[in-house]
């Protein structure tokens, strides 16, 4: 029993060291950022969001090893109101996948010839209920989240962490689940930004 606990402790320790190794490069990585361009034509608002520096060195390595990155984008259209809270008019949620193939980086199967440093995300269009007045002003809020390693995938990667004792297994499951969720959260990159909607020229 003592030997089993020792080996189990060593395996858990090794997993924690590996997890910390995954997190170490994040501190040196460039901070991700988001930008967008929005235009108004009649009642139609067209938004072109972009994400920059979302693949850190470690996440880039994981994508090159064959893991897919899930890019979640949330956009909101707001109408500015003077001396009052802005009014939310519409919203949209998108999910895109970034991967690596023979030809290079792919975003939803589309080749990224310049690499993943700047991601041109899917465009979003909204139609306003009525034609805006000349003085109306609108703004778009963009939030982007990239997750290459999820708690579930880390769990599969760490499946070799098995303790035979049932009580130890129960304790390990709780500790490992918390650890994996923490690591997955730290391997998530996110940023938000906003842009004013340009009026018709």
């Amino acid at each position: 029993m003592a030997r089993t606990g020792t080996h189990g402790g060593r395996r858990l320790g090794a997993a924690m060291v590996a997890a910390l190794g995954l997190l170490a490069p994040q501190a040196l990585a460039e901070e991700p950022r988001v930008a967008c361009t929005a235009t108004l034509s009649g009642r139609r608002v067209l938004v072109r969001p972009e994400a920059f520096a979302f693949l850190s060195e470690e996440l880039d390595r994981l994508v090159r090893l064959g893991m897919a990155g899930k890019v979640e984008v949330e956009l909101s259209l707001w109408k500015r109101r003077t001396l009052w809270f802005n009014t939310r008019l519409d919203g949209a949620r998108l999910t895109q996948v970034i991967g690596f193939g023979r030809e290079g980086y792919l975003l939803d199967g589309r080749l990224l010839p310049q690499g993943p440093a700047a991601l041109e995300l899917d465009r979003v269009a909204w139609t306003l209920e009525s034609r805006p007045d000349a003085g109306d002003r609108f703004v778009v809020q963009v939030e982007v989240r990239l997750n290459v390693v999820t708690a579930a995938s880390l769990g599969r990667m760490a499946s070799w962490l098995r303790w035979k004792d049932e009580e130890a297994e129960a304790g390990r499951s709780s500790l490992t689940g918390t650890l994996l969720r923490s690591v997955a959260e730290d391997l998530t990159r996110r940023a938000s930004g906003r842009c004013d909607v340009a009026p018709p020229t």
Side-chain angles (χ1 to χ4, degrees):
M1 294 294 292
R3 293 185 62 187
T4 301
T6 300
H7 291 309
R10 287 177 182 170
R11 288 195 294 266
L12 181 58
M16 294 181 73
V17 169
L20 292 174
L22 285 173
L23 299 179
Q26 299 292 325
L28 304 175
E30 180 184 350
E31 288 298 314
R33 59 189 177 86
V34 173
C36 65
T37 303
T39 56
L40 174 65
S41 178
R43 294 191 300 126
R44 184 179 173 84
V45 177
L46 179 64
V47 186
R48 298 177 177 87
E50 292 182 285
F52 301 92
F54 266 76
L55 274 188
S56 64
E57 182 180 346
E58 185 57 43
L59 294 183
D60 180 67
R61 186 180 301 122
L62 293 173
V63 170
R64 284 176 171 271
L65 287 173
M67 299 191 76
K70 183 169 67 171
V71 183
E72 297 175 317
V73 186
E74 183 172 354
L75 303 100
S76 301
L77 175 63
W78 297 79
K79 181 178 180 180
R80 291 188 180 277
R81 299 183 66 185
T82 306
L83 303 177
W84 196 246
F85 297 110
N86 293 341
T87 303
R88 188 177 186 275
L89 300 179
D90 212 335
R93 289 178 181 267
L94 308 171
T95 300
Q96 297 186 255
V97 176
I98 184 169
F100 189 80
R102 293 182 180 180
E103 299 179 347
Y105 291 93
L106 304 168
L107 184 63
D108 278 355
R110 174 172 51 90
L111 182 65
L112 300 174
Q114 305 301 321
L119 302 177
E120 293 185 6
L121 305 171
D122 281 347
R123 299 176 183 180
V124 172
W126 292 296
T127 300
L128 303 175
E129 291 184 359
S130 59
R131 192 177 186 88
D133 296 332
D136 288 343
R137 294 292 177 262
F138 304 92
V139 63
V140 175
Q141 176 77 30
V142 182
E143 297 182 11
V144 179
R145 170 186 168 117
L146 169 68
N147 194 332
V148 174
V149 180
T150 64
S153 60
L154 279 174
R156 290 191 294 271
M157 291 168 60
S159 61
W160 55 273
L161 275 174
R162 296 293 181 188
W163 291 359
K164 295 181 180 179
D165 183 79
E166 291 184 2
E167 293 182 2
E169 174 67 20
R172 185 202 67 80
S173 296
S174 176
L175 176 61
T176 304
T178 301
L179 173 65
L180 297 181
R181 282 191 297 273
S182 176
V183 172
E185 183 65 21
D186 285 334
L187 287 173
T188 296
R189 305 268 283 171
R190 67 185 71 194
S192 61
R194 62 172 53 197
C195 59
D196 291 324
V197 178
T201 56

